[in-house]
Amino acid sequence: MSSLNNCIKFALDIKDKNIVFKSFFYKMVQMKKHKIYEAELIQPACPCCGSLDLLHNGHLITNIRYPTTNASLPVIIRLAKQRVKCRACDHWSMAQSELVNKYCSISNASKLKVLSALTEDRSMTSIARENNVSINTVQRVLGNCSHRFIDSYEYLPAHLAFDEFKGVDRQLHFICLDGDNHQVVQILRTRYKKTLLKYFGRFSPQARANVKTVTMDLNFYYQDIVRACFPNAQIVIDRFHMIQMLTRSFNSLRVQVMKTFDKRSRQYQLLKSPWKLYLKKFDELEKAHPRYNWHYKDCLTQAQVVMEGINTSTTLENSYNLMQSFIQAVETGNTHELKSLINCQDQIGTLMHKTLLTFKHNLTAVLNGAELPYSNGCLEGFNRKIKQIERTAFGYSNFTNLLTRIRLEEDLYKEKEPNSLLMTA
C-alpha cells in the first residue's frame, strides 16, 4: 500500500503527508468516463492544543476535481476527511489539507490552472471545458482577483499618455499609460473631468511634480487636467492625431471638388477612384512605371494621377501642398516650418482652415508633439489588445471583470497574500 500511495502522489504531484491513497478505478459519471482515486485525509493532532489523544468519529467524503493533462478523462479524488474529538480540550475538528480549501470541492491546483489560463486570450467557456469545471467557477476565480491590485499614490511616471477606449455598454473609459515602459498606470470607469481630477488629486505633490510630459489627442479638457494636477508637465499632442485631422480635412475637400464635376468626366474619375493616392506621401508615389486604368482610360503613373487631380482646383492644390509639407515637418521635427505652415495665408479648404486654427490655439503642445519623441502609439496598440479581449468574450457587462481580465492578460496582477486567492475561491 505504501508503494501504491507513493506512486499516485508522485503522478498527481501531491506532497501532503497526511493524505493516504488506497485505490483507483474508472467510473462513468454523467455519461462521461472519470478516473477515480480513493484517499483518506488523516488528522494527526488537535489544531487547538496540539494533543495527540484524539477520538475518531467517522469521515466526511468529498469528491475533489483535480487537473489533468487529458481533458476528456477527468480526475476525481474521493477524499475521506477524518472527524476527530480531542480528549484534552474537547474540541471537535476535521482534517484539512492544502490540496483543497474547507467546504470546497475544487482543488487549489485546478484554481491555479484556471488563473493561469485567464492570463491568455481565451474565453471562459473554453477554460472551463479544458479544466472540467463550470463557467461559474472560472468567474469566481476571476472575481477573487478584482480587489487585489496594489495602487500606490506615492509615485507617477515622468511621461504619461492619456486616451480612452470603448468598453462596457459602449461607454468610454479612461486609460493612462507609462510612456517609457508602456505599462498601465490606471484604467477608470469614466473619462469625466471631475473623476480624473479626483483620482490624480490623491497623489502626493511630489509624485505629481515628477511628471514631465503628458501625451494626448486634442481633447480640450485633458489639457485643463494637466495644468491643474501636474505643475511641471509639458502637454504633447500626438503626431498621429495631428496628421489624421489634416488628412481628413483634405479628404473632405477632395470630395467637395469631385462633386462639382460630371460623373462621366475625366476630372471626376481622377479624384474618385485613386483616392488613397492623395493620402500617401508624395515621395512614396510611383513616378517611373505608368499603368493603364480603365476608370480614366489612360496610362499614368501614380504621381501623374495625383498632380493632374489636384490641378483641377487651386484650393485643392494649395491644401495638398500644405498637407504634404506639414507631414514632412512633423516627421523631421522642424518646428519653425511647422509654425509657418500653421500660420499659412493661402487659399485652402474651410475644414482645413478650422484644423489649422485648432493647431494654432494649441501651438505649444503641437510643436512639442513634433519636437519630443513621445507619442500615443503605445496606447493605441494597447487599446487594440483591449478590443481583442472584448471580442473574445463577446463583450463585457461588468466593468470590474473587464478591468481584471485586462490586468491579468498584461501580467500586472499583484497579490498581497500568495494563498489568499485560493482560500476565498
Side-chain angles (χ1 to χ4, degrees):
M1 182 63 67
S2 177
S3 177
L4 175 64
N5 178 49
N6 293 335
C7 289
I8 295 177
K9 281 188 173 182
F10 180 79
L12 298 180
D13 195 20
I14 296 176
K15 300 176 182 179
D16 194 336
K17 297 179 180 179
N18 297 325
I19 296 178
V20 179
F21 286 91
K22 298 180 177 180
S23 64
F24 64 94
F25 53 89
Y26 293 99
K27 184 178 180 180
M28 297 296 295
V29 180
Q30 296 180 351
M31 304 301 293
K32 191 173 183 179
K33 189 176 182 181
H34 285 63
K35 186 185 290 186
I36 310 295
Y37 292 93
E38 288 189 339
E40 182 182 10
L41 179 57
I42 300 172
Q43 178 72 293
C46 177
C48 292
C49 64
S51 174
L52 301 179
D53 189 8
L54 303 176
L55 175 65
H56 296 277
N57 185 25
H59 299 82
L60 176 66
I61 299 177
T62 307
N63 293 324
I64 300 171
R65 295 184 177 272
Y66 198 78
T68 177
T69 56
N70 186 3
S72 62
L73 188 62
V75 172
I76 292 179
I77 299 177
R78 187 166 291 172
L79 189 64
K81 302 178 181 178
Q82 284 187 352
R83 286 193 293 251
V84 298
K85 179 183 179 181
C86 179
R87 288 191 174 96
C89 63
D90 292 334
H91 178 77
W92 289 89
S93 62
M94 184 179 296
Q96 300 297 328
S97 172
E98 294 181 356
L99 176 69
V100 63
N101 296 336
K102 192 176 182 180
Y103 310 121
C104 189
S105 61
I106 308 296
S107 65
N108 292 334
S110 296
K111 295 175 184 177
L112 286 175
K113 191 176 178 182
V114 169
L115 181 61
S116 176
L118 285 171
T119 62
E120 304 171 358
D121 186 23
R122 298 175 54 190
S123 65
M124 292 187 182
T125 304
S126 66
I127 294 173
R129 188 184 301 116
E130 180 184 341
N131 293 278
N132 293 301
V133 296
S134 65
I135 300 177
N136 290 335
T137 299
V138 180
Q139 290 176 341
R140 281 195 296 271
V141 173
L142 179 67
N144 287 323
C145 303
S146 59
H147 302 292
R148 303 186 183 277
F149 303 117
I150 301 176
D151 291 330
S152 174
Y153 294 102
E154 298 299 325
Y155 171 77
L156 276 172
H159 306 283
L160 296 176
F162 287 1
D163 203 0
E164 60 274 338
F165 67 93
K166 214 170 262 186
V168 177
D169 295 331
R170 308 290 292 175
Q171 293 182 0
L172 290 174
H173 308 306
F174 174 79
I175 181 171
C176 178
L177 237 64
D178 187 341
D180 289 325
N181 57 23
H182 303 169
Q183 289 186 356
V184 177
V185 176
Q186 188 56 272
I187 299 176
L188 300 178
R189 186 184 296 269
T190 63
R191 60 166 187 165
Y192 300 141
K193 184 176 180 179
K194 181 179 179 181
T195 304
L196 301 185
L197 289 173
K198 182 179 179 181
Y199 169 72
F200 287 113
R202 295 175 181 173
F203 287 88
S204 62
Q206 294 80 9
R208 289 186 277 116
N210 183 54
V211 179
K212 299 297 185 293
T213 63
V214 180
T215 311
M216 64 185 72
D217 54 17
L218 285 158
N219 194 323
F220 68 96
Y221 67 81
Y222 280 173
Q223 300 186 28
D224 296 338
I225 294 169
V226 173
R227 297 187 186 99
C229 298
F230 310 115
N232 301 328
Q234 288 183 300
I235 300 173
V236 180
I237 301 299
D238 182 49
R239 294 183 290 274
F240 167 78
H241 288 89
M242 289 191 292
I243 295 176
Q244 185 187 52
M245 285 185 63
L246 210 59
T247 53
R248 283 180 176 176
S249 59
F250 171 79
N251 204 37
S252 176
L253 177 61
R254 178 192 60 82
V255 173
Q256 292 178 6
V257 175
M258 178 190 70
K259 289 182 178 180
T260 60
F261 299 101
D262 184 74
K263 291 185 178 181
R264 293 169 294 182
S265 63
R266 178 184 176 90
Q267 293 86 350
Y268 185 91
Q269 296 299 332
L270 283 170
L271 292 173
K272 181 177 177 61
S273 59
W275 62 273
K276 291 184 180 180
L277 299 181
Y278 294 93
L279 304 181
K280 292 179 65 176
K281 290 189 290 186
F282 187 78
D283 295 337
E284 297 178 358
L285 297 176
E286 177 62 49
K287 302 178 180 63
H289 303 286
R291 292 186 179 183
Y292 181 80
N293 191 296
W294 66 273
H295 287 96
Y296 36 85
K297 308 295 188 297
D298 201 352
C299 195
L300 299 173
T301 63
Q302 292 181 348
Q304 289 174 340
V305 171
V306 171
M307 293 304 298
E308 188 174 346
I310 63 176
N311 287 334
T312 57
S313 170
T314 305
T315 304
L316 186 64
E317 182 179 6
N318 294 337
S319 300
Y320 180 81
N321 294 331
L322 176 64
M323 180 185 68
Q324 292 292 328
S325 301
F326 191 92
I327 294 174
Q328 186 177 5
V330 168
E331 290 182 348
T332 57
N334 191 343
T335 56
H336 297 287
E337 177 69 15
L338 204 61
K339 190 173 182 179
S340 63
L341 290 172
I342 292 175
N343 296 317
C344 176
Q345 301 296 327
D346 294 340
Q347 183 181 357
I348 56 176
T350 305
L351 190 57
M352 182 168 284
H353 180 67
K354 291 182 180 179
T355 301
L356 292 181
L357 283 179
T358 303
F359 292 162
K360 193 172 183 179
H361 292 156
N362 303 274
L363 184 60
T364 304
V366 169
L367 297 180
N368 288 337
E371 186 177 7
L372 299 177
Y374 301 101
S375 71
N376 270 16
C378 57
L379 198 48
E380 297 296 337
F382 191 84
N383 287 345
R384 173 65 180 83
K385 293 181 181 179
I386 295 177
K387 289 180 182 178
Q388 182 60 42
I389 292 172
E390 294 177 327
R391 189 178 297 113
T392 301
F394 296 96
Y396 281 85
S397 59
N398 188 300
F399 175 76
T400 304
N401 289 342
L402 174 61
L403 176 61
T404 307
R405 196 66 189 274
I406 292 171
R407 295 276 191 167
L408 285 174
E409 293 201 20
E410 286 301 309
D411 295 329
L412 295 179
Y413 176 75
K414 298 178 182 177
E415 204 174 326
K416 295 181 181 178
E417 299 178 3
N419 296 325
S420 59
L421 170 64
L422 302 180
M423 294 298 293
T424 56

